[in-house]
Amino acid sequence: MLRIVKTKLGTVEGIPAADPRITAFKSIPFAKPPVGDLRFAPPQPAEPWEGIRECYKFPPIPVQPSPNRNPPPEDVYSREWSVDPDIPVSEDCLYLNIWTPAKTGNEKLPVYFWIFGGAWQVGHTAEMEFDGERIARRGIVVVTVNYRVNLFGFSCHPELTAEYPDNPANMGLQDQQAGLKWVYENIEAFGGDKDNITIGGQSAGAGSVLCHIDNEESRKYFKRGVVDSGLIYNPTLKIFPVNDLNKAEKIGVDFFKFCGCNSLAEARKLTTDQLRQKWSEWGPFQNSIESWIPPLDGKYNKGPIFDQVEEGKCTPCPILTGFTADEFIFNGIHSVELGIRKLMKIEEEKGLKIDNYCYKFDVPIPGWDHPGKFHSVDLWFWFETLAKCWRPFSGVHYDVARQMCDYLCNFIKTGNPNGLDLNGNPLPKWDPFTSRKSNFMEFTTGSAQNKIPASKEMLKYL
């Protein structure tokens, strides 16, 4: 097995995964630690090291609230996967993890580059559902990347703009891009094919993927995208704030003053815990979202993908995208389903011949909390990691998860989810989406492509 790999910066040693035919490399640095004078700054290239770096453990998680020790019944996410209240937290978090089935460094396997979600406020690569082993077993090199979140990843300030005029905002998105570039430059040593990289993400991770699809530099490094629960559109209300760079800078000035700081230099002298405490005092989670999600900077976040494509400013890559049945329903509109239909229709009207594959996740979810098909629950299925979950999943859930993972891996390999399952049998046919057919692969207690017409309320906006 490929346990020791020489990257362009130094040599790393991985460990056998639960399946010893897979090697896991954890905590590979792709950028300098963003600490001291590099706090709030764009990511800088990692420095080389001597000897063999032991990559056995996940890196510290980006600075955020620690998981709840005794989550209340309504806090499904703390029960689901943010379960370790003692997990290390650090600003020194810019590391990525790799699972590879390769035996040598010249196998040219397809690569899946995964970006976690969490409203750009929380999340990390050590979450249980993101274990890459099951995907790697299907002949794919899996990469999960850490990036800075909340105020550490998305603060803006006039002094930052003066210091980094070419890249003054969206450091978290810049972290992702730096990780993606590192993968492009190094993944062949792990048996991967740098010319066959698929980027994927869910929720804010999916929103990040959309930003990279609309970024000329990022587009150099991948061929296709997976956008889980990320194409959100609802004209009846504002779901997320839209801040331009000037407004984001003002928020930065106001927050620094709230911290007792009159300058960027003073804010960089505060301890991590001091900033973390001030983040908590600044307001609840929603106020953090209002303050620190990607601002419109014209480079890393150019605005809604719908507008960019409609105005001819972006030609998307092929995507696999979909939604869970019970997420983001506001004013009678399923906001992700509507967003998918809107983007597909815009692409059709622009004459773009892009094969996109769309799904609806409607699998009954067990548990005493009767959670429904909630936002993010499909991640256990796409990564086929149900065995790590506390929920009493039964055989049918494992069957659906295996099938979903098969589809995903086929898409990562070729851009087409169709093909054979692990038993060598053809998967149920999944055609590219068209507005005329309104065809979604519907995951319930099985998998079948179905026509799902748009609701009357949705048709008003299509």
Side-chain angles (χ1 to χ4, degrees):
M1 300 298 109
L2 192 62
R3 305 289 195 230
I4 296 179
V5 171
K6 185 177 182 180
T7 75
K8 293 186 177 181
L9 294 177
T11 301
V12 294
E13 182 175 16
I15 57 172
D19 181 342
R21 293 166 293 188
I22 308 298
T23 305
F25 297 83
K26 300 177 180 180
S27 300
I28 302 176
F30 66 86
K32 285 183 181 178
V35 298
D37 289 342
L38 293 181
R39 177 186 278 170
F40 307 126
Q44 304 300 308
E47 295 181 342
W49 62 87
E50 299 293 332
I52 298 177
R53 187 182 185 101
E54 296 180 343
C55 294
Y56 302 162
K57 296 169 60 177
F58 282 114
I61 71 173
V63 180
Q64 58 194 274
S66 293
N68 197 328
R69 289 185 181 274
N70 297 293
E74 67 273 11
D75 186 0
V76 63
Y77 297 106
S78 289
R79 291 197 308 277
E80 204 71 7
W81 37 71
S82 294
V83 297
D84 182 2
D86 299 315
I87 193 167
V89 176
S90 176
E91 291 184 65
D92 181 5
C93 63
L94 297 185
Y95 301 85
L96 52 78
N97 316 293
I98 298 174
W99 288 261
T100 180
K103 296 182 177 65
T104 69
N106 57 4
E107 297 189 22
K108 298 282 187 178
L109 300 174
V111 180
Y112 191 36
F113 181 88
W114 177 257
I115 303 170
F116 64 79
W120 290 290
Q121 310 303 310
V122 297
H124 53 85
T125 61
E127 293 182 25
M128 294 184 294
E129 76 277 24
F130 300 147
D131 189 306
E133 181 175 335
R134 303 297 296 191
I135 295 175
R137 285 188 187 183
R138 290 165 167 85
I140 292 169
V141 179
V142 180
V143 183
T144 61
V145 63
N146 257 352
Y147 60 96
R148 287 170 285 178
V149 293
N150 55 67
L151 71 94
F152 294 92
F154 296 97
S155 285
C156 295
H157 192 275
E159 290 183 54
L160 265 177
T161 303
E163 191 172 342
Y164 298 100
D166 295 331
N167 300 287
N170 288 312
M171 307 313 174
L173 294 176
Q174 294 189 53
D175 293 343
Q176 297 166 11
Q177 187 185 82
L180 180 60
K181 183 178 180 181
W182 186 97
V183 168
Y184 184 82
E185 294 175 345
N186 289 275
I187 204 64
E188 291 191 343
F190 296 86
D193 183 355
K194 71 175 184 179
D195 295 318
N196 192 11
I197 297 174
T198 299
I199 65 169
Q202 184 267 346
S203 194
S208 299
V209 169
L210 295 174
C211 289
H212 293 299
I213 288 173
D214 197 20
N215 183 283
E216 295 82 0
E217 178 66 18
S218 294
R219 285 292 288 272
K220 297 176 184 177
Y221 308 124
F222 66 91
K223 295 185 68 172
R224 60 189 75 91
V226 174
V227 182
D228 295 326
S229 302
L231 277 167
I232 300 173
Y233 179 75
N234 193 318
T236 70
L237 80 167
K238 182 188 78 170
I239 299 177
F240 295 108
V242 180
N243 298 330
D244 61 17
L245 184 58
N246 288 333
K247 185 175 181 180
E249 286 179 344
K250 184 180 184 305
I251 292 171
V253 170
D254 291 344
F255 180 71
F256 284 6
K257 288 181 178 178
F258 183 77
C259 296
C261 300
N262 293 313
S263 69
L264 176 61
E266 290 179 9
R268 282 174 167 162
K269 290 180 181 178
L270 295 177
T271 68
T272 302
D273 285 342
Q274 285 174 322
L275 275 175
R276 202 178 180 199
Q277 179 61 35
K278 287 297 183 182
W279 179 91
S280 178
E281 295 173 5
W282 181 250
F285 195 81
Q286 185 59 40
N287 198 41
S288 186
I289 292 176
E290 293 287 335
S291 302
W292 296 300
I293 69 169
L296 297 173
D297 63 350
K299 187 171 185 178
Y300 296 98
N301 182 13
K302 299 178 183 178
I305 191 76
F306 316 103
D307 298 340
Q308 294 295 108
V309 177
E310 193 161 35
E311 294 170 12
K313 297 177 181 178
C314 173
T315 300
C317 62
I319 60 172
L320 187 154
T321 187
F323 59 94
T324 69
D326 297 332
E327 66 185 357
F328 291 123
I329 299 174
F330 304 110
N331 297 335
I333 296 175
H334 194 299
S335 304
V336 185
E337 181 184 347
L338 178 58
I340 290 169
R341 294 181 186 277
K342 183 173 178 64
L343 180 61
M344 300 300 111
K345 187 174 182 182
I346 291 171
E347 289 187 7
E348 292 166 357
E349 290 174 344
K350 299 292 289 186
L352 301 175
K353 305 297 183 181
I354 302 172
D355 286 345
N356 300 308
Y357 296 87
C358 303
Y359 67 85
K360 176 182 180 180
F361 180 88
D362 201 13
V363 179
I365 301 301
W368 59 263
D369 53 349
H370 306 290
K373 297 88 175 184
F374 64 91
H375 181 64
S376 306
V377 71
D378 54 328
L379 292 172
W380 294 116
F381 292 75
W382 289 117
F383 281 81
E384 202 184 8
T385 48
L386 274 69
K388 293 178 179 290
C389 186
W390 68 269
R391 295 185 180 280
F393 290 119
S394 59
V396 67
H397 297 102
Y398 286 89
D399 292 341
V400 175
R402 185 168 57 251
Q403 203 167 51
M404 287 174 63
C405 193
D406 286 340
Y407 278 124
L408 171 65
C409 291
N410 288 340
F411 181 79
I412 292 167
K413 292 174 181 177
T414 68
N416 187 331
N418 294 287
L420 303 179
D421 64 17
L422 288 180
N423 292 318
N425 299 317
L427 290 162
K429 187 179 181 182
W430 189 349
D431 293 318
F433 182 90
T434 68
S435 295
R436 180 179 60 83
K437 291 183 178 179
S438 194
N439 55 304
F440 289 82
M441 179 58 69
E442 193 167 13
F443 299 114
T444 55
T445 52
S447 304
Q449 183 171 246
N450 291 313
K451 180 182 178 66
I452 303 177
S455 67
K456 290 183 179 180
E457 190 66 22
M458 285 187 187
L459 289 173
K460 297 177 184 178
Y461 307 104
L462 292 172

